[in-house]
Amino acid sequence: MATANSTQEKRVLSIQSHVVAGYVGNKAASFPLQLLGWEVDPVLTVSFSNHTVSPPSVHALCYGRWGGSKFDAAHLEDVFSALDANGLLRQSHLLTGYVPGADALKVVVRAVDRLRAVNPSLVYVLDPVMGDDGRIYVSESVIPIYKALLPRATCATPNYFEAELLTDVKILDAASLQLALRTFHERYRIPNIVISAVSLPVSELAKLGFVDASSLVDRAPTSRMLVCSGSTITSAPGEPLTTVSFGIAFPELAEHYEGVGDVFSSLVVGRFPSSAEPAFAAHPVSPLAHTVELAIASLQGILGKTRQHALSLVKARPDMIVPREGETADERVRRLRTVELRLVQSQQEILNPVVQYRAVRFSGVPSS
Amino acid sequence: MATANSTQEKRVLSIQSHVVAGYVGNKAASFPLQLLGWEVDPVLTVSFSNHTVSPPSVHALCYGRWGGSKFDAAHLEDVFSALDANGLLRQSHLLTGYVPGADALKVVVRAVDRLRAVNPSLVYVLDPVMGDDGRIYVSESVIPIYKALLPRATCATPNYFEAELLTDVKILDAASLQLALRTFHERYRIPNIVISAVSLPVSELAKLGFVDASSLVDRAPTSRMLVCSGSTITSAPGEPLTTVSFGIAFPELAEHYEGVGDVFSSLVVGRFPSSAEPAFAAHPVSPLAHTVELAIASLQGILGKTRQHALSLVKARPDMIVPREGETADERVRRLRTVELRLVQSQQEILNPVVQYRAVRFSGVPSS
């Protein structure tokens, strides 16, 4: 008897957090993937009332109070064992995000190996959620486990800070960004890497191959731009390493939106290069560049809608939606509710993204 | 400063189970509601690998094995307290489904009262998930708590068995179905009631007001039909009770699909009568009849797509997707995977249902 799996359906196992209110983790990832036609099997690593972001001592960008609990390693082991016993651990794709501790992450490593054993062509997108803006908000004991996981992944989607933790490269300019990308390939043999956003002075963009860097700056409110970069190994195993790398530059926003990274990694999985779709092979830079252009385009659409809605709520006073030093817990809660992602209202932006920011092939060769 | 809540947005707090694989509870409810433009805040009562349906001793319609855990009352209390402290317990709508025990359900009762205190116009759809087909699969200690909850609800969506437990009316025919509907109004003063599906001989349909009952039977594979019925109080408080009741008849299917009731209750919330939409007031039977017609139409569309997909997987051998006496755990798992609801593939059916089965106003007056 045939099973659903024999039809090679689009099904992703997504191992991330759950929150009641707001959009982070599986709450941010599930809807865009489902809208794009994916079956999503969400394994939950925590169940919280709302986003916590960080340990109780670090509150600058988070709700002040939350309730709920983390799932321990035994719970996750129990869930994976039951899925396996029922033949339900046969997904075509895997996405892992926030896992709060080393013991739970070790259970995830075993699940990855089991999934890969059942389905050798598994596509695994690893978002090594550890921190942001110079702060770690998980146990540091997860870092070596993420390093052991990276060679098992098809693609990773760290932010700049996580990329620094995993490559020991401080990302400050065009050269160090390219070095970080290359270090992922060299150190972990991971075939694809995407660093979600690095803030760079516009002067660095020309060094990366952006020919119209000066025109870009007109669209940016500051002299810096965010660059989302990606790289794919093009050489065969055993051959000298060759890669194709690219960047997509877009303006920085003054506001802080929760869950953007989680929506991004879900869109990278949801739009991952597929040999069945000719548009990927036809892209002038690389199949991965096509993926990331679409993901960034959807995200920009969602953020545009979110910002517009937030401004309508605060009667067009933009200062009310920007994080402020010393804001009270109540102010923080109101601000975060006001800038909550307009995900369910952005179905067209998710389904039919309009690509405004194009991928540019990196021209320089990094020193290593 | 205005908050998102001041805009009267469509936001539903949905208190139900979570499963990794398959569609029941919040996994079944969230996507249809989000697709219809609702913000969904899902509070999870359990986190399981897959559907369990029933205690370990009763396996006929469920996966043979599962893993995960129930959330205890303290966890739920913690989540609700944090939501309340953060001003995040202000939803416009509330949906409650599977809550595994009396202690947890008591926490839900307090959350309902808190929500109603914050928002007196709260719309609360209560799905009193207790059992099906003559079997209870929750602790019997929840029954009196559901009876205490019913007067707090705007609408309840029991299946026939749950309706029997709550009304002490054995539903066997046209008269007892109408009596059960009326008993909900009389005993609990609940303004709206929907009994999701009662299997009735076609001969009973004429007594309910179906003028073309004999033509209906041509569309049914058996001499029985399923009737989804609903009723709304039309009299003012203190006046003698008057109601408008209706039924929608549609064919029974031989297969068993998990999560149908949970999708249905989510569609009742998502399509609940709104004074802002004239189509509800314009319906020839009642606003609730419009809601239920749309919900049934979406569900029939989803089931049609699910059945077609299941048959394609088993090479058009319908016997392979029908529950069989004495099937092994492996056979059960394969069957349930095969008939898993095609929810993400049924976006058009959810967004733009084609109403094929119309509501008929009940003509008889039940004896009481």
Side-chain angles (χ1 to χ4, degrees), chain B residues 75-94:
Chain B
H75 170 92
L76 291 175
E77 184 75 59
D78 195 27
V79 167
F80 288 124
S81 298
L83 289 172
D84 198 16
N86 284 323
L88 301 173
L89 215 52
R90 298 176 185 176
Q91 288 78 7
S92 61
H93 289 61
L94 169 66

Side-chain angles (χ1 to χ4, degrees), chain A residues 1-7 9 11 13 18-23 27 30-31 34-44 47-50 63-69 71 75 78-80 82-83 85-91 309 312-315 320-321 329-331 333-335 337-338 340-345 347 351, chain B residues 1-7 9 11 13 18-23 27 30-31 34-44 47-50 63-69 71 75 78-80 82-83 85-91 309 312-315 320-321 329-331 333-335 337-338 340-345 347 351:
Chain A
M1 175 178 162
T3 70
N5 291 292
S6 64
T7 62
E9 63 175 355
R11 183 180 288 267
L13 185 76
H18 171 74
V19 290
V20 177
Y23 292 100
K27 183 85 174 297
S30 289
F31 182 66
Q34 291 177 315
L35 198 63
L36 290 171
W38 289 80
E39 293 288 350
V40 180
D41 292 342
V43 172
L44 311 181
S47 175
F48 284 143
S49 57
N50 45 263
Y63 283 95
R65 299 152 288 207
W66 67 89
S69 34
F71 291 109
H75 170 92
D78 195 27
V79 167
F80 287 125
L83 289 172
N86 284 324
L88 301 173
L89 215 52
R90 298 176 184 175
Q91 288 78 7
H309 178 254
S312 76
L313 292 175
V314 297
K315 316 281 182 243
M320 301 292 280
I321 56 172
D330 278 350
E331 288 170 337
V333 164
R334 273 202 301 271
R335 176 175 57 75
R337 200 27 122 36
T338 305
E340 192 176 287
L341 292 183
R342 299 293 279 175
L343 213 51
V344 299
Q345 298 81 4
Q347 298 183 21
L351 286 169
Chain B
M1 176 178 161
T3 69
N5 293 293
S6 63
T7 61
E9 62 174 357
R11 183 180 288 267
L13 186 75
H18 171 74
V19 290
V20 177
Y23 292 100
K27 182 84 173 299
S30 290
F31 181 67
Q34 290 177 316
L35 198 63
L36 290 171
W38 289 81
E39 293 287 350
V40 181
D41 293 343
V43 173
L44 311 182
S47 176
F48 284 143
S49 57
N50 45 264
Y63 282 95
R65 298 151 288 208
W66 66 89
S69 34
F71 291 110
H75 170 92
D78 195 27
V79 167
F80 288 124
L83 289 172
N86 284 323
L88 301 173
L89 215 52
R90 298 176 185 176
Q91 288 78 7
H309 178 252
S312 76
L313 292 175
V314 296
K315 315 280 181 247
M320 303 292 279
I321 57 173
D330 277 350
E331 286 170 339
V333 164
R334 273 202 302 272
R335 176 175 56 75
R337 197 35 128 22
T338 304
E340 192 175 286
L341 292 183
R342 299 293 280 175
L343 212 52
V344 301
Q345 297 82 5
Q347 298 183 20
L351 286 168

Side-chain angles (χ1 to χ4, degrees), chain B residues 160-179:
Chain B
Y160 87 91
F161 176 64
E162 292 152 350
E164 291 181 345
L165 287 175
L166 295 167
T167 61
D168 304 306
V169 174
K170 186 85 187 151
I171 304 176
L172 298 166
D173 50 23
S176 53
L177 173 59
Q178 289 182 279
L179 178 60

